[in-house]
Amino acid sequence: MGGGLSGHRLAAAVSAAGGLGTIGILPPEELRREIDAARALSSGPLAVNLLLPFARPAHFEAAAQADVVVTFWGEPERRVDGVWMHQCGSVAEARAARAAGADAIIAQGVEAGGHVRGSLPALELLAQVREALGDDCPVLSAGGVADGSDAATRLAAGADAVVCGTRFLLSEESAAHPLYKARLLGARETILTQLFGLGWPAQHRVVANEATRRWLAGDARGPSWLRAVQRASAPVLARTPIALQMRLAATQAPGRPLFGPAAATAGGPESLVEAGPLYAGTCVERIAEVRPAAELVRALASPSEHGPGGVA
Ligand SMILES: Cc1cc2nc3c(=O)[nH]c(=O)nc-3n(C[C@H](O)[C@H](O)[C@H](O)COP(=O)(O)O)c2cc1C
């Protein structure tokens, strides 16, 4: 989870508990600091996730200090010597990533929170990717996994592991703004939209806030003129450094639909709770509590842990 949502605290807590903790994309020098800080807290394996529309050579150099580099959203290409995974939304993309030398594929279902690459339910995509790539390619399943029962179902369906975003966004260690977490705990549905696509015109899954209520009445994707503006400005805006994008995000207001992808983080502008994306997957409706990440890892590894109360 990029933009500071998943930093060293969350990644280290997950790694120390036996998972593969992941630091999301940040400016390269911050990534290095976050990797060092996570290493100081955990000797477990550590991943860095890079979003290809924004990743430059310096990001890959910094990310190479982690044990695993995960990439998303773009032409899959091997950019590091170490272990490389690519998150995919279709069989065609999974084949391309494997052909490019990916060591493992993450198959992301449409249930996922954040940016959503594909259109198939996770179990369907998992079956298709597994069949296309054969048994010797590690395949991880993402989208809609919130408890041990979900994870067991994916493993039984052929996944080698599961990837979770939303469940860990609602952990004590995630850096999501406390009000963002509170909104998610009360959420009963999600919206697949393009509203927060300035600089990155791509579909993403969120829960409602003032911005979505104002601008998505006619079309869940967002007004067509706005999507046209996003597409036209993307080539320039995508080259804007992440740090600058974050500063611009602080000026967003619900009534002015120039919404970028930055989400509300603890210590960041609270205005993003109403004027920014409240990313969450469909499983948010089954999550009732913020819990320590280590407890979540243990619960995910335990097939009998499920229910409307989350993974308690
Ligand atoms: C808040 C949030 C931020 C995310 N940011 C990223 C990201 O920066 N890079 C990425 O590859 N995936 C990102 N994702 C998607 C996850 O990798 C994963 O596909 C998704 O969380 C799985 O679905 P779930 O949310 O139902 O667990 C994000 C997801 C969420 C919820």
Side-chain angles (χ1 to χ4, degrees), residues 11 29-30 83 91-92 99 106 110-111 117 220 233 252 290 292:
E29 54 298 350
E30 275 182 58
V83 178
V91 171
I106 301 173
V110 71
E111 304 91 333
R117 187 72 173 160
S233 56
Q252 286 173 201
V290 172

Short mmCIF file of all heavy atoms in Angstrom, two decimals, residues 11 29-30 83 91-92 99 106 110-111 117 220 233 252 290 292:
data_model
loop_
_atom_site.label_atom_id
_atom_site.label_comp_id
_atom_site.label_asym_id
_atom_site.label_seq_id
_atom_site.Cartn_x
_atom_site.Cartn_y
_atom_site.Cartn_z
N ALA A 11 5.23 -3.09 7.87
CA ALA A 11 6.01 -4.13 7.17
C ALA A 11 6.79 -4.97 8.18
O ALA A 11 6.83 -6.21 8.08
CB ALA A 11 6.94 -3.47 6.16
N GLU A 29 14.75 8.23 -1.45
CA GLU A 29 15.52 8.38 -0.19
C GLU A 29 14.67 7.97 1.02
O GLU A 29 15.18 7.40 2.01
CB GLU A 29 16.15 9.77 -0.05
CG GLU A 29 15.31 11.04 -0.14
CD GLU A 29 14.59 11.28 -1.48
OE1 GLU A 29 14.85 10.59 -2.48
OE2 GLU A 29 13.75 12.18 -1.48
N GLU A 30 13.35 8.23 0.94
CA GLU A 30 12.46 7.78 2.03
C GLU A 30 12.35 6.26 2.06
O GLU A 30 12.27 5.65 3.12
CB GLU A 30 11.07 8.39 1.86
CG GLU A 30 10.94 9.77 2.43
CD GLU A 30 9.51 10.30 2.28
OE1 GLU A 30 8.57 9.66 2.78
OE2 GLU A 30 9.37 11.35 1.63
N VAL A 83 14.66 -11.33 -6.09
CA VAL A 83 13.33 -11.91 -6.31
C VAL A 83 12.36 -10.81 -6.76
O VAL A 83 12.28 -9.74 -6.15
CB VAL A 83 12.81 -12.56 -5.00
CG1 VAL A 83 11.40 -13.12 -5.22
CG2 VAL A 83 13.76 -13.67 -4.56
N VAL A 91 -4.93 -13.07 -17.36
CA VAL A 91 -4.05 -14.18 -17.75
C VAL A 91 -2.97 -13.65 -18.71
O VAL A 91 -1.80 -14.02 -18.60
CB VAL A 91 -4.86 -15.31 -18.42
CG1 VAL A 91 -3.95 -16.34 -19.03
CG2 VAL A 91 -5.79 -15.95 -17.40
N ALA A 92 -3.38 -12.78 -19.62
CA ALA A 92 -2.40 -12.26 -20.59
C ALA A 92 -1.27 -11.53 -19.86
O ALA A 92 -0.09 -11.70 -20.20
CB ALA A 92 -3.10 -11.31 -21.57
N ALA A 99 6.95 -14.48 -18.69
CA ALA A 99 7.89 -14.49 -19.83
C ALA A 99 9.02 -13.48 -19.60
O ALA A 99 10.14 -13.68 -20.07
CB ALA A 99 7.14 -14.17 -21.12
N ILE A 106 1.26 -12.31 -8.76
CA ILE A 106 0.12 -12.04 -7.88
C ILE A 106 -1.09 -11.84 -8.78
O ILE A 106 -1.09 -10.96 -9.65
CB ILE A 106 0.35 -10.78 -7.02
CG1 ILE A 106 1.62 -10.94 -6.16
CG2 ILE A 106 -0.87 -10.51 -6.14
CD1 ILE A 106 2.02 -9.68 -5.40
N VAL A 110 -11.08 -8.61 -8.83
CA VAL A 110 -11.77 -7.32 -8.90
C VAL A 110 -12.29 -6.86 -7.52
O VAL A 110 -12.63 -5.70 -7.34
CB VAL A 110 -12.92 -7.41 -9.93
CG1 VAL A 110 -14.06 -8.28 -9.44
CG2 VAL A 110 -13.42 -6.02 -10.32
N GLU A 111 -12.28 -7.76 -6.54
CA GLU A 111 -12.71 -7.40 -5.19
C GLU A 111 -11.73 -6.47 -4.49
O GLU A 111 -12.02 -5.87 -3.45
CB GLU A 111 -12.83 -8.65 -4.29
CG GLU A 111 -13.73 -9.76 -4.79
CD GLU A 111 -13.00 -10.79 -5.66
OE1 GLU A 111 -11.97 -10.43 -6.29
OE2 GLU A 111 -13.45 -11.94 -5.71
N ARG A 117 -6.67 -3.81 -11.21
CA ARG A 117 -6.13 -4.03 -12.55
C ARG A 117 -7.10 -4.81 -13.45
O ARG A 117 -7.17 -4.59 -14.64
CB ARG A 117 -4.82 -4.80 -12.39
CG ARG A 117 -4.03 -4.98 -13.65
CD ARG A 117 -3.40 -3.69 -14.09
NE ARG A 117 -2.50 -3.89 -15.20
CZ ARG A 117 -2.11 -2.94 -16.03
NH1 ARG A 117 -2.55 -1.72 -15.86
NH2 ARG A 117 -1.29 -3.19 -17.02
N ALA A 220 -20.66 5.91 -11.72
CA ALA A 220 -19.70 5.53 -10.68
C ALA A 220 -18.25 5.75 -11.11
O ALA A 220 -17.35 5.90 -10.29
CB ALA A 220 -19.90 4.06 -10.28
N SER A 233 -4.12 14.97 -19.12
CA SER A 233 -3.04 15.55 -18.29
C SER A 233 -2.09 14.49 -17.73
O SER A 233 -1.02 14.83 -17.21
CB SER A 233 -3.65 16.35 -17.14
OG SER A 233 -4.53 15.54 -16.38
N GLN A 252 -6.57 19.66 -2.15
CA GLN A 252 -7.82 19.15 -2.71
C GLN A 252 -9.01 19.49 -1.82
O GLN A 252 -8.89 19.51 -0.59
CB GLN A 252 -7.73 17.62 -2.87
CG GLN A 252 -6.86 17.19 -4.02
CD GLN A 252 -6.62 15.70 -4.11
OE1 GLN A 252 -5.66 15.28 -4.73
NE2 GLN A 252 -7.48 14.89 -3.50
N VAL A 290 -9.88 -2.66 14.29
CA VAL A 290 -8.46 -2.44 14.01
C VAL A 290 -7.69 -3.34 14.97
O VAL A 290 -7.97 -3.35 16.18
CB VAL A 290 -8.09 -0.96 14.26
CG1 VAL A 290 -6.59 -0.76 14.17
CG2 VAL A 290 -8.82 -0.06 13.26
N PRO A 292 -3.74 -5.52 15.97
CA PRO A 292 -2.29 -5.55 15.72
C PRO A 292 -1.98 -6.47 14.53
O PRO A 292 -2.61 -7.53 14.38
CB PRO A 292 -1.71 -6.14 17.01
CG PRO A 292 -2.78 -5.98 18.04
CD PRO A 292 -4.09 -6.04 17.31
#
